Amino acid sequence: MLHELLDLRQCLFATKGLDSNTAYQRKLEIIESNLYGVDIDVFAVNIARLRLWLSLAVEYQGNDPPPLPNLKYKIEIGDSLIAPSPTGVGTIRGELIRSYRQAKANYMRVHEGGKKRKLEQEINEFKTQIALITHGSTKISGFDWAVEFAEVFADGGFDIVVANPPYGASVDDNVRDLYFDRQTEGAQSKDSYGLCMARGLQLLRSSGQLCYIVSDTWRTIKSHRPLRKRLLENTAITHIIDLPAWIFNATVNTCIFTATKSQPSEEHHLIAADLRSIKGGDWQTLTKNITAIANHSVDLQPLNYARYTYPQSLIATYDNLSFFIASPTLYKLMRDNRFYRFGNIANVKVGLQTGDNEYYLRKQVGVRGSYQILDESKLLTEQEIAQLTDEEKLNGVEPEKYRGRCFLPELGIERNLGLKQKLKNRIQEIHDTIGEDAAILDRTEQLNEEAMYAIYEQKGKQLSLFDLEEEADFLDLNEAEEILRKLQKDDPGEFERIANLPNGIRSAKFSMQKGAFVFCEALDPNRPDMKGYQQLFLLNDKGKVISREIPRILGAIKSDSTTPSAILPKEHNSAVMGVKSQFAEEVKHRQAEREYNQRLTQGQRYILRELRIFFKSIKDEDVKAQVNILEKDFRDSITQGVNRDLNNLRRNGVTGQDLFDQLVQIYRQHNMHERQNSSKFPALSHPISIIICSKALV
């Protein structure tokens, strides 16, 4: 930063060349008037001071160099997070601030022991006065920005804040609560780097510039949504740049974030760049991209990097407020009601963990990360891996048994352990346990095999982009159930009255979002023991279904005893009946699929699923026609002999062309072509669709 400011000052002068003495004086003035720093690490503070001293020392030419400046009150030691915000503190008299600033400047240049001690005492007296004005009698912990750098905040704050805060360090709740109100803003992550970003905003004056190098996880994950909301509302974002891992050799992906502390206009655009795929050491391509970003050059997306420009206002259109580095059309995709969110059907807390990475993980030389360097003499050989027992593959090996070897090489594991086949077998076990997906599950709950393979093959890096954070107009299902439990406890009579209301009740309420809510159910009158189908629908003002997401719908219809009712619009009944017809059609298809599939054996389910996969891979129309015949007849009722053969295919994991050939053979051996229409399933049941309730949003 010192050299950047020196270059900027030099641009103001006609004579570009600087003699050494002039450069020395200008650097000294910049240190005295412009640079401040804080770090909790004493060693880091000493290194920062040393770098400034060295930068001055190289400029001086002569035999009698002047003493280096005292930097005690410029680069200071302290916890920068735990003190209160320096903004909005009491007004301090200009005369006191001027005296405080001058005392610090004098201290920088004095080197006699007695004078230094006298100035230190004077500075401490100024601090005591400023602290009394700022905080009264309250004792402040940590680095008190409002007092230590009072001369800065008397002018509104810093012009520029630059930081590379620590990642992964967690703070206590009381520290997190200094920055975010959990009741109104949500539970912000306690990771220190996110709070350092929030602190940076507090330190800036209006129109000040923020530039941080941080982990990239804040851009999308749920726990940093409060931070993203604050940044969106209070800054005009300039750049979001994901960096190649080889630059810092860090254990996390890093990004550069720059912004101006000002209200963004609707037309303000930001630049988002993904430079992670630039090859190690290719500084030319990296520099070319950084220069292009600084110059607001055109967007480009070749194979090894990508640059995008889009309106900052677009970020707020996605409820998670994710800062995507991708085509702006991704925000449109996030709002597409044809897609379902994983968070609506599952509660994922954490991925796979070793429990002790330091013990289990090693890295090879040249690989980023903070793990210990791998001693390759402890690697199991491919022959040893191939001979591992199932128990050893599952629970690990005893190093003594293999002459001290206990680590698996990254390459060759798949070939020797067959993990992909194990994954395939596990997927089949899930199918066998719960039945074919469509048989008992809603489409939003079906097993996504492609996603499971993608995660295994490390193609799922963007899965974290879809983390859902509920906004104020979303009502979590657990919260809704808690409301009902509380009502049942506090007012059991009212709870019973509501529980016994007849079907078909209609109501209306005022809402900013015009449309309607409809709750449908389908029950089989002949099968009262069988669970029926239920579905919530949210309609727009045209009667079109725009969402089936439970949190969104519950949030839209949430009311209490004080919520006023409204008059039902004339078109409400027709909209509701239209949804009922749509629901009835869906129920018919789902019921047919459910009843057929519930009669299928495990062997049938296996070969029918594999036939669908095989069908997608072939182009020969004659073969496709044969697959259709096999699929139709093997879905019908089968004999025990056929089922035994199908189970053998399932247990042996036969797929593709081999499966097709063997199914043709089974088809002929058991004369299945003569059994067409000879054995049919009983007629399907017919659930009746009804409207439980509906509400117009007017």
Side-chain angles (χ1 to χ4, degrees):
M1 179 56 72
L2 173 62
H3 293 281
E4 292 295 328
L5 292 175
L6 181 66
D7 290 342
L8 288 173
R9 284 192 62 177
Q10 184 58 20
C11 291
L12 301 176
F13 296 91
T15 303
K16 300 302 180 185
L18 278 180
D19 62 79
S20 59
N21 288 334
T22 303
Y24 181 93
Q25 288 301 322
R26 287 187 183 171
K27 283 186 176 181
L28 188 60
E29 291 169 6
I30 291 171
I31 293 172
E32 180 180 319
S33 304
N34 304 112
L35 293 184
Y36 294 82
V38 180
D39 201 296
I40 196 172
D41 188 340
V42 176
F43 180 76
V45 169
N46 288 333
I47 289 295
R49 292 172 179 173
L50 177 61
R51 288 179 65 88
L52 291 176
W53 285 327
L54 291 175
S55 182
L56 282 171
V58 297
E59 299 295 351
Y60 188 82
Q61 294 182 0
N63 298 322
D64 189 19
L68 293 168
N70 296 311
L71 301 177
K72 178 178 179 179
Y73 298 112
K74 298 299 296 183
I75 311 298
E76 300 202 35
I77 301 168
D79 189 327
S80 62
L81 285 180
I82 63 175
S85 170
T87 58
V89 296
T91 303
I92 304 172
R93 297 195 316 273
E95 181 181 347
L96 177 58
I97 291 296
R98 284 192 295 272
S99 299
Y100 184 45
R101 179 185 286 116
Q102 188 58 51
K104 283 187 170 184
N106 293 340
Y107 183 85
M108 274 190 62
R109 297 174 184 257
V110 72
H111 301 286
E112 297 178 17
K115 291 183 178 180
K116 282 182 64 177
R117 285 191 293 273
K118 184 178 179 181
L119 279 171
E120 284 182 350
Q121 182 179 355
E122 184 180 340
I123 290 170
N124 288 333
E125 289 174 356
F126 284 134
K127 286 184 180 180
T128 301
Q129 294 181 56
I130 295 170
L132 185 61
I133 296 171
T134 304
H135 307 299
S137 59
T138 304
K139 184 175 177 58
I140 302 300
S141 301
F143 185 81
D144 192 349
W145 293 87
V147 173
E148 299 294 337
F149 295 155
E151 69 275 23
V152 174
F153 294 101
D155 293 332
F158 288 98
D159 297 288
I160 302 172
V161 174
V162 179
N164 179 17
Y167 323 138
S170 182
V171 302
D172 294 333
D173 284 342
N174 63 315
V175 177
R176 186 259 308 275
D177 294 344
L178 290 172
Y179 299 89
F180 296 94
D181 186 330
R182 276 183 277 179
Q183 298 299 319
T184 60
E185 297 180 280
Q188 164 66 23
S189 168
K190 293 191 288 186
D191 195 308
S192 59
Y193 84 85
L195 302 183
C196 283
M197 295 174 74
R199 173 66 93 194
L201 275 182
Q202 296 176 351
L203 301 180
L204 281 175
R205 65 167 177 81
S206 178
S207 299
Q209 305 290 311
L210 185 78
C211 182
Y212 271 53
I213 298 175
V214 290
S215 165
D216 67 350
T217 54
W218 69 272
R219 296 194 293 103
T220 55
I221 66 174
K222 175 180 179 179
S223 57
H224 282 291
R225 185 181 184 279
L227 172 64
R228 294 194 294 273
K229 188 172 187 294
R230 184 168 299 178
L231 293 172
L232 278 176
E233 294 175 348
N234 296 283
T235 70
I237 300 164
T238 312
H239 309 121
I240 310 168
I241 307 171
D242 277 358
L243 299 170
W246 51 267
I247 291 183
F248 296 109
N249 194 29
T251 56
V252 298
N253 294 324
T254 54
C255 78
I256 297 175
F257 172 75
T258 61
T260 302
K261 186 177 180 180
S262 64
Q263 293 293 322
S265 66
E266 284 295 319
E267 295 75 28
H268 175 73
H269 283 61
L270 61 87
I271 297 176
D274 184 352
L275 311 182
R276 291 174 297 177
S277 297
I278 296 177
K279 291 183 178 180
D282 188 358
W283 289 100
Q284 181 179 359
T285 302
L286 181 64
T287 303
K288 180 180 70 174
N289 272 276
I290 296 296
T291 303
I293 292 167
N295 293 332
H296 297 269
S297 296
V298 296
D299 292 353
L300 291 174
Q301 295 92 35
L303 294 178
N304 56 340
Y305 62 84
R307 302 196 304 265
Y308 306 92
T309 303
Y310 58 82
Q312 179 174 327
S313 58
L314 198 59
I315 297 173
T317 63
Y318 175 42
D319 51 19
N320 195 43
L321 307 181
S322 297
F323 286 40
F324 292 133
I325 299 182
S327 168
T329 57
L330 183 56
Y331 288 100
K332 182 178 180 181
L333 178 66
M334 293 296 98
R335 306 192 307 274
D336 194 321
N337 293 308
R338 295 174 297 172
F339 296 94
Y340 292 88
R341 291 176 176 147
F342 192 43
N344 286 348
I345 61 172
N347 187 16
V348 180
K349 293 295 186 183
V350 68
L352 295 175
Q353 292 180 321
T354 67
D356 188 353
N357 286 350
E358 293 297 324
Y359 180 82
Y360 288 103
L361 301 181
R362 298 291 186 273
K363 71 171 186 176
Q364 293 179 314
V365 176
V367 176
R368 70 187 180 96
S370 60
Y371 303 119
Q372 297 180 44
I373 299 296
L374 173 67
D375 179 357
E376 298 201 5
S377 66
K378 294 185 178 180
L379 279 177
L380 291 167
T381 65
E382 291 199 8
Q383 292 77 12
E384 289 169 331
I385 295 173
Q387 295 173 5
L388 293 177
T389 65
D390 290 340
E391 173 68 19
E392 289 173 323
K393 292 176 183 178
L394 181 64
N395 296 315
V397 302
E398 293 293 338
E400 296 77 11
K401 181 178 178 181
Y402 295 93
R403 302 184 301 281
R405 297 188 180 93
C406 56
F407 284 94
L408 296 174
E410 181 180 5
L411 301 177
I413 292 179
E414 169 58 37
R415 180 169 61 256
N416 289 296
L417 298 187
L419 299 180
K420 192 167 185 177
Q421 182 60 44
K422 286 181 171 58
L423 175 61
K424 182 175 181 179
N425 294 342
R426 178 57 183 148
I427 291 173
Q428 182 56 45
E429 288 176 11
I430 296 173
H431 278 301
D432 293 343
T433 301
I434 65 175
E436 188 65 23
D437 295 338
I440 63 173
L441 301 178
D442 184 83
R443 288 172 301 183
T444 62
E445 300 169 319
Q446 292 175 6
L447 185 65
N448 189 336
E449 297 176 31
E450 291 79 7
M452 293 181 71
Y453 282 117
I455 294 171
Y456 166 76
E457 294 167 356
Q458 298 183 350
K459 297 177 181 177
K461 295 180 180 178
Q462 297 302 312
L463 290 176
S464 63
L465 298 176
F466 304 98
D467 199 3
L468 174 65
E469 169 73 17
E470 295 85 357
E471 284 187 323
D473 57 350
F474 279 62
L475 180 62
D476 183 80
L477 187 58
N478 293 329
E479 184 182 351
E481 292 174 347
E482 181 59 31
I483 292 173
L484 291 177
R485 281 193 291 269
K486 189 174 186 303
L487 176 64
Q488 186 177 26
K489 179 182 178 181
D490 297 345
D491 194 347
E494 178 65 9
F495 178 85
E496 286 299 319
R497 186 188 72 82
I498 295 174
N500 293 317
L501 287 172
N503 295 331
I505 285 183
R506 304 171 299 164
S507 62
K509 63 172 280 191
F510 294 102
S511 173
M512 296 300 293
Q513 178 182 346
K514 309 305 179 187
F517 148 78
V518 183
F519 180 17
C520 297
E521 183 177 39
L523 292 170
D524 184 350
N526 300 318
R527 306 274 299 274
D529 58 313
M530 188 173 179
K531 181 181 178 181
Y533 300 97
Q534 294 180 334
Q535 183 66 61
L536 305 182
F537 297 93
L538 187 63
L539 316 183
N540 62 14
D541 56 354
K542 305 297 183 184
K544 181 180 178 182
V545 176
I546 59 173
S547 181
R548 302 175 186 228
E549 298 175 14
I550 293 176
R552 180 178 178 184
I553 296 174
L554 293 180
I557 65 173
K558 182 179 178 181
S559 307
D560 57 31
S561 58
T562 64
T563 303
S565 60
I567 299 175
L568 279 172
K570 295 180 180 179
E571 65 275 9
H572 180 72
N573 285 347
S574 60
V576 170
M577 295 310 294
V579 171
K580 179 184 176 183
S581 299
Q582 178 180 336
F583 175 69
E585 192 66 22
E586 292 176 3
V587 168
K588 184 171 68 175
H589 288 296
R590 289 177 61 182
Q591 181 71 1
E593 195 170 37
R594 178 175 185 169
E595 297 222 4
Y596 272 122
N597 281 310
Q598 282 184 333
R599 294 175 174 85
L600 298 177
T601 66
Q602 292 184 1
Q604 283 178 294
R605 288 196 289 269
Y606 172 79
I607 65 102
L608 291 173
R609 180 172 60 83
E610 291 298 328
L611 276 178
R612 289 198 298 272
I613 297 173
F614 178 63
F615 185 89
K616 295 177 183 178
S617 68
I618 56 180
K619 297 181 179 179
D620 190 311
E621 294 301 324
D622 291 336
V623 177
K624 285 187 174 183
Q626 294 179 49
V627 171
N628 284 331
I629 293 174
L630 293 176
E631 195 274 339
K632 177 179 179 296
D633 286 348
F634 278 108
R635 184 178 288 276
D636 206 344
S637 176
I638 58 175
T639 64
Q640 290 185 353
V642 172
N643 188 49
R644 185 169 52 250
D645 290 342
L646 298 187
N647 278 327
N648 287 333
L649 295 177
R650 178 180 64 85
R651 283 191 289 268
N652 294 326
V654 181
T655 61
Q657 184 68 46
D658 288 343
L659 177 71
F660 174 74
D661 293 340
Q662 293 195 42
L663 287 177
V664 171
Q665 187 175 356
I666 294 171
Y667 184 83
R668 291 171 177 168
Q669 285 178 347
H670 292 275
N671 297 317
M672 294 184 66
H673 60 285
E674 297 177 356
R675 298 179 61 254
Q676 293 183 14
N677 301 319
S678 62
S679 176
K680 293 297 179 183
F681 290 128
L684 301 178
S685 59
H686 297 286
I688 298 174
S689 298
I690 59 174
I691 303 296
I692 300 296
C693 60
S694 64
K695 174 177 286 189
L697 306 176
V698 299

